[in-house]
DNA sequence: GTTAAC
DNA sequence: GTTAAC
DNA sequence: CTGCTT
DNA sequence: AAGCAG
């Protein structure tokens, strides 16, 4: 057994301020690769989107600067700059240097917001060699700079402005990240997506990194997630258009769904909770799936398009070729982990299931042509799946006896 | 546009102490359902296991008490109780009430440890209506109690003892969790698993919740992950036994693998990093998979068991029926998120890939009988997969033209 | 979780 | 309205 | 009943 | 691929 005389108070370290973020970035942004790097933008962008969701911002500008930094500017309310009662420091500095400081714990004027932990801005600050925060408020430009989370200036007024809003410019720390080069297409996609999700929001993205080949893009959509579905299907053939569109407000929780089918076989479903892309799904996705599968099965049987005795379509069957975007807005989101990959609120499952079942059933009843196309598509998927399974089992049964060969001329079942 | 006059310093809240944990449990334990509940045990258990990994503890006792609480006792070094220089409070109180306080940031005598954030104990404390910490040190019993993360007593000496170690007893907060009833089998499984992973560690689990039907179990394994594989395969038929066993120390990183195949078709692979079950895998799993697929393909071709022109076995093919346990121990683990579901260290991927490729190739060369069984198994899987795909495509091609019916008599390809 | 039956 | 089944 | 988990 | 959970 090893020596234990040295285990004492001195062995225990208390990480202070933003130290834990730099020491354990994985806990805060998942990793230090290219995904973690882009998380920095998402954290700042999400704050601006939250302002837009709350009705305070209408425009967001993201700029890749020539010096490798990124700027995110919005015309929201601007982070307050006056002294904060708890920290006795500027509220701006508080938000950017103190973990769990935020306006999304009940007050702050955000009815629904993607942010909820109050750590995003601080995390970005901690992981940037330099960060410049500018707040445009009351005709003045308030500015503070930081380095690796530590203020290098006070909050100072550097000029006058007619604008209102916030701009964050940050330089990702190469000591932390394996790469510090942002990907244009990744960010472009995200901007497009956020623009689809928030009616009336303008997002402008500009790449100034190579002055000889500048690029920029502006997104503004009125049509919402139906247009998003159309964009996802851009290089595919849709079975019908416009997509099924369901939007409903239940107890202050807004549920929106747009879906259609394409002629191909892969599933493209994107789920959002308060505009956060929940890449691992969660209760909203589970609820949608249950309702979708059940509604199609019920309709298929009731309408006689498939026979009662034929067995049910599986979830996989009805999802083949499906394109869908689901966006829920709710007051108290619970996400799994700081990276918000999965929505946890258990009540959302049944809420969505109810809304989607009702809405989809109604759609199918009122659109017999589209319904027929859907049922044909998913019934074919079911037959294909059954045939594949049967073929597989034949081989397994036979092969268990005989010897082996690889594909090539295992033509047993091909024709 | 909504009113913005009220957005000011007062709108921003700074959560202090353990408030953020209670306000946003999802960020710290993933959720508040049954999984989140059990996370509490894992956090405390992992601390004891870390003591065992460091060679200071040999025995852990977990008890489900009649009053609904859980106790975890170990014979490790005991959390220090003297005043901590940074907080001016007892180190015990510091560890249990301050986030990011821990002995696993470089000092503390832990060479490898599953803990790394310094938040686990505090999180459990925050989410418990009551927590009792007892430290057995220098012949004395030191004790402190807390309620929802707030100390309700000082650290007091309550008696004498010959033992050394730590015991944490906690009462999960029904205000936080949707259920507060621990699952015997879930915890039993985890104890068994940890015992397999740590040679020479005894883990005792006891259920005193129903005095009329007490149950208890003691785990102690010398054989390690090979025995774990055998246990996973308990109700299955293994193609060969003992399993392939690889263990290697590369630059202070210990890589251990045990694997075999069963006659069934599902894959059972469990990966661990510093004894943490990485449920979403990560770089160790990725490295293993790459090496495994390549080693089997290379051997199959080189040995002539499958022909050169037959195409390659896919990863899915070679994983059908695979049972494996992978355990890596490394100095500076990076996990994705606080719940540690995925290992992030990029260097581990190639490290494992090299070790596994070499070890598995050697095994195959030295065990031609086992090798033959493996190749037969995976080649059959490949043929079955190809046949399934072919059958599926036949249906799709035909079905695109004809009408629809569901399974039932789509016997096209079954015989 | 929803729906059907008692 | 509550309980059992899907 | 459908989906998620091991 | 089977059992549990919502
Ligand atoms: N662009 C902005 N405009 C107005 N207020 C902002 C802006 N960015 C941040 N804030 C304020 O600062 C607070 C802290 O932001 P921060 O990014 O740290 O966390 P959050 O958005 O509350 O939560 P999360 O960590 O989940 O993203 C926010 O709650 C908001 O009140
Ligand atoms: N049973 C124990 N025996 C000895 N020391 C312990 C024990 N439990 C906790 N400690 C000490 O308290 C510190 C803090 O523990 P805590 O659970 O908060 O975090 P951690 O294990 O360091 O990291 P993580 O949050 O990733 O689990 C540990 O680093 C360790 O030094």
């Amino acid at each position: 057994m090893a020596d234990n005389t040295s285990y004492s108070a001195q062995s225990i370290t208390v990480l202070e301020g933003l130290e834990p973020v730099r020491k354990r970035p994985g806990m805060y942004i998942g990793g230090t690769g290219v995904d973690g790097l882009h998380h920095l933008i998402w954290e700042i962008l999400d704050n601006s989107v939250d302002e837009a969701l709350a009705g305070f911002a209408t425009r967001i500008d993201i700029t890749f600067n020539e010096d490798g930094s990124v700027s995110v500017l919005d015309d929201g309310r601007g982070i307050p700059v006056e002294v904060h009662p708890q920290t006795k420091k500027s509220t701006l500095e508080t938000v950017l240097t103190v973990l769990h400081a935020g306006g999304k714990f009940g007050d702050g004027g955000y009815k629904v917001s993607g942010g909820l932990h109050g750590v995003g801005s601080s995390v970005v600050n901690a992981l940037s060699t330099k960060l410049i925060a500018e707040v445009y408020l009351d005709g003045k430009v308030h500015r503070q700079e930081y380095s690796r989370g530590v203020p290098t200036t006070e909050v100072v007024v550097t000029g006058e402005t007619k604008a209102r809003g916030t701009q964050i410019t940050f330089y990702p720390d190469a000591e932390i990240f394996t790469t510090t080069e942002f990907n244009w297409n990744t960010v472009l996609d995200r901007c497009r997506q956020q623009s689809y999700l928030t009616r009336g929001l303008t997002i402008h993205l500009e790449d100034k990194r190579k002055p000889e080949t500048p690029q920029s893009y502006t997104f503004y959509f009125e049509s919402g997630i139906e247009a998003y579905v159309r964009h996802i299907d851009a290089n595919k053939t849709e079975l019908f258009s416009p997509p099924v569109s369901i939007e409903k407000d239940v107890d202050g929780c807004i549920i929106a769904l747009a879906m259609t089918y394409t002629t191909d076989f892969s599933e493209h479903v994107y789920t959002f909770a308060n505009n956060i892309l929940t890449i691992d799904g969660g209760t909203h996705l589970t609820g949608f799936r249950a309702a979708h599968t059940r509604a199609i099965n019920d309709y298929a049987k009731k309408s006689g398009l498939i026979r009662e005795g034929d067995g049910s379509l599986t979830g996989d069957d009805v999802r083949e070729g499906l394109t869908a975007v689901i966006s829920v807005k709710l007051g108290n989101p619970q996400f799994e982990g700081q990276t918000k990959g999965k929505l946890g609120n258990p009540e959302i499952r049944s809420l969505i299931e109810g809304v989607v079942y009702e809405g989809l059933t109604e759609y199918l009843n009122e659109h017999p042509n589209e319904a027929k196309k859907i049922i044909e598509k998913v019934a074919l998927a079911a037959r294909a799946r059954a045939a594949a399974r049967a073929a597989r089992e034949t081989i397994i049964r036979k092969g268990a006896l005989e010897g082996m060969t690889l594909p090539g001329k295992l033509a047993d079942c091909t024709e």
Side-chain angles (χ1 to χ4, degrees), chain A:
Chain A
M1 182 152 302
D3 170 48
N4 75 326
T5 52
S6 56
Y7 193 55
S8 66
Q10 276 71 36
S11 311
I12 308 292
T13 306
V14 179
L15 298 183
E16 279 165 359
L18 297 179
E19 261 189 279
V21 181
R22 291 186 60 82
K23 196 104 184 174
R24 303 294 182 224
M27 172 170 165
Y28 288 94
I29 54 165
T32 55
V34 66
D35 289 351
L37 178 73
H38 285 83
H39 254 293
L40 302 186
I41 301 190
W42 311 154
E43 293 285 2
I44 302 300
L45 173 58
D46 287 345
N47 284 336
S48 294
V49 170
D50 280 343
E51 281 292 292
L53 277 177
F56 300 115
T58 62
R59 182 184 168 96
I60 300 171
D61 287 86
I62 302 184
T63 309
F64 291 179
N65 301 305
E66 197 177 346
D67 59 6
S69 65
V70 172
S71 297
V72 179
L73 167 69
D74 70 57
D75 61 351
R77 290 169 296 173
I79 301 175
V81 291
E82 66 268 23
V83 169
H84 189 270
Q86 282 173 279
T87 60
K88 314 297 183 201
K89 294 185 174 173
S90 157
T91 303
L92 178 62
E93 180 173 333
T94 301
V95 160
L96 279 156
T97 60
V98 179
L99 292 173
H100 295 299
K104 298 159 189 172
F105 299 114
D107 291 325
Y110 296 98
K111 221 167 45 194
V112 302
S113 68
L116 76 166
H117 300 131
V119 304
S121 304
S122 316
V123 165
V124 174
N125 194 11
L127 303 178
S128 298
T129 52
K130 181 176 170 186
L131 183 144
I132 303 161
E134 283 194 346
V135 176
Y136 313 108
L137 265 181
D138 307 321
K140 301 200 191 83
V141 178
H142 306 263
R143 177 184 170 111
Q144 187 171 31
E145 296 190 14
Y146 315 80
S147 177
R148 300 199 164 100
V150 181
T152 53
T153 72
E154 296 294 309
V155 180
V156 288
V157 174
T158 58
E160 304 201 338
T161 179
K162 286 180 185 146
R164 191 195 66 171
T166 307
Q167 178 174 259
I168 303 287
T169 301
F170 63 93
Y171 298 72
D173 192 344
E175 282 180 15
I176 300 283
F177 296 99
T178 57
T179 171
T180 56
E181 191 168 334
F182 293 99
N183 182 297
W184 172 258
N185 282 322
T186 303
V187 180
L188 191 73
D189 267 1
R190 178 69 64 127
C191 290
R192 180 189 291 113
Q193 171 196 95
Q194 288 299 321
S195 180
Y196 282 126
L197 289 169
T198 314
R199 230 175 270 269
L201 173 63
T202 301
I203 302 184
H204 175 79
L205 178 60
E206 189 153 354
D207 190 349
K208 294 184 176 166
R209 288 175 298 185
K210 294 184 182 159
E212 66 279 14
T213 55
Q215 38 186 344
S216 79
Y217 222 106
T218 304
F219 295 106
Y220 175 88
F221 301 105
E222 275 295 347
S223 38
I225 59 174
E226 289 74 24
Y228 190 8
V229 164
R230 210 172 307 129
H231 172 258
I232 296 167
D233 290 341
N235 300 317
K236 306 178 183 71
T237 307
E238 290 185 333
L239 290 194
F240 57 88
S241 185
V244 183
S245 174
I246 296 170
E247 179 150 2
K248 199 152 182 183
D249 182 330
V250 187
D251 309 331
C253 172
I254 298 168
I255 295 165
L257 162 71
M259 60 166 268
T260 186
Y261 281 85
T262 65
T263 53
D264 76 358
F265 309 102
S266 51
E267 180 191 359
H268 300 272
V269 174
Y270 296 91
T271 62
F272 300 87
N274 292 358
N275 277 36
I276 302 289
L277 171 67
T278 41
I279 199 80
D280 299 322
T283 50
H284 49 348
L285 178 59
T286 305
F288 164 73
R289 284 185 171 169
H292 175 232
T293 305
R294 196 155 47 86
I296 290 192
N297 265 298
D298 288 357
Y299 177 82
K301 299 230 163 112
K302 194 160 60 69
S303 67
L305 284 171
I306 68 175
R307 283 181 305 265
E308 192 66 44
D310 279 340
S312 284
L313 300 156
T314 68
D316 285 343
D317 292 332
V318 301
R319 271 168 236 146
E320 213 163 86
L322 174 68
T323 302
V325 172
I326 302 157
S327 172
V328 305
K329 308 243 169 79
L330 68 168
N332 273 306
Q334 296 165 22
F335 293 101
E336 287 196 6
Q338 152 59 11
T339 46
K340 303 176 188 170
K342 198 169 177 183
L343 182 68
N345 302 60
E347 74 280 9
I348 293 295
R349 185 196 189 280
S350 52
L351 208 64
I352 299 227
E353 186 168 345
V355 169
V356 172
Y357 181 80
E358 190 186 1
L360 190 51
T361 300
E362 185 182 317
Y363 178 91
L364 293 168
N365 284 323
E366 292 179 359
H367 299 76
N369 289 331
E370 285 81 358
K372 186 149 174 287
K373 284 181 188 159
I374 293 176
I375 304 297
E376 277 172 9
K377 166 97 186 169
V378 299
L380 181 63
R383 288 198 300 147
R385 196 177 310 278
R389 214 186 84 253
R392 181 177 185 284
E393 278 166 6
T394 303
I395 297 293
I396 298 286
R397 222 180 305 120
K398 281 201 283 198
L401 314 169
E402 303 166 17
M404 93 219 79
T405 39
L406 252 204
K409 69 172 204 308
L410 32 95
D412 299 64
C413 195
T414 8
E415 257 337 302

